Amino acid sequence: MRVMFVCLGNICRSPMAEMIMKEMVKKEGLSSEIFVSSSGISDEEEGNGMYPPAQKILIEKGIKVEERCAKKITQEDIFEYDYIVVMEKYQKDRILKNYIVSNPSKVECLNNKDVLDPWYTGDFLTTYEEIYQGCSQLLKKIKKEL
């Protein structure tokens, strides 16, 4: 099973979701069955690391932060991943408009609602909590499919 989290620039929300989900998957002993990654719909941050306040909240919550660089989602990603989990409906709309998606239902919003961008709100704790809750629900769903 392959899960791709997507936000705008891939420096805050989607890498937070990636690290949170990887930690949950590891704790469940499913690392060999579930592969998790993240990307953005924009290439404006491509090559940049995770935004420091996003890293900070993960570390404070005991989540391992892996070294990574921001990247833009590709058509290959759309084909390869079983779940494309976006942080906002806007990103879902952009993916469905700009890429060939054979199964549009695999593109879904985390928590079925927008996760506010902490780059603008400055509220990384609320973002963390929303992402954590969404990842917990998604993992329960995925485990039923394994």
Side-chain angles (χ1 to χ4, degrees):
M1 186 69 65
R2 296 174 64 82
V3 180
M4 171 71 74
F5 291 101
V6 182
C7 67
L8 179 61
N10 192 221
I11 61 168
C12 293
R13 293 170 292 173
S14 60
M16 288 173 71
E18 175 186 353
M19 301 305 158
I20 291 167
M21 183 63 110
K22 282 181 175 178
E23 189 73 22
M24 290 178 174
V25 166
K26 181 180 175 185
K27 285 182 180 175
E28 292 284 331
L30 297 170
S31 297
S32 63
E33 297 180 57
I34 303 172
F35 179 81
V36 182
S37 189
S38 67
S39 61
I41 59 167
S42 166
D43 62 1
E44 66 190 74
E45 295 289 349
E46 200 155 10
N48 292 333
M50 191 185 303
Y51 190 51
Q55 285 184 348
K56 183 176 184 246
I57 192 73
L58 291 175
I59 292 166
E60 287 173 359
K61 297 294 183 177
I63 305 291
K64 181 182 176 197
V65 176
E66 298 174 4
E67 195 69 29
R68 54 168 311 282
C69 292
K71 67 179 188 115
K72 183 178 178 183
I73 194 167
T74 66
Q75 183 64 62
E76 187 175 311
D77 292 332
I78 302 294
F79 289 138
E80 287 185 4
Y81 283 81
D82 302 294
Y83 284 91
I84 309 290
V85 184
V86 299
M87 299 297 138
E88 296 176 50
K89 185 181 181 308
Y90 168 76
Q91 290 136 14
K92 178 179 180 176
D93 294 343
R94 289 267 311 265
I95 288 170
L96 294 175
K97 178 183 176 188
N98 296 326
Y99 296 91
I100 298 167
V101 183
S102 59
N103 179 7
S105 67
K106 76 177 184 176
V107 183
E108 60 184 61
C109 292
L110 188 68
N111 294 330
N112 294 314
K113 64 175 190 153
D114 288 355
V115 175
L116 296 178
D117 192 340
W119 174 268
Y120 299 106
T121 67
D123 188 354
F124 286 85
L125 179 58
T126 297
T127 299
Y128 170 86
E129 290 169 349
E130 288 180 0
I131 291 171
Y132 191 93
Q133 178 188 31
C135 286
S136 293
Q137 292 171 355
L138 179 60
L139 184 55
K140 284 178 189 173
K141 179 180 175 180
I142 290 170
K143 284 170 56 176
K144 291 177 184 175
E145 297 176 22
L146 292 176

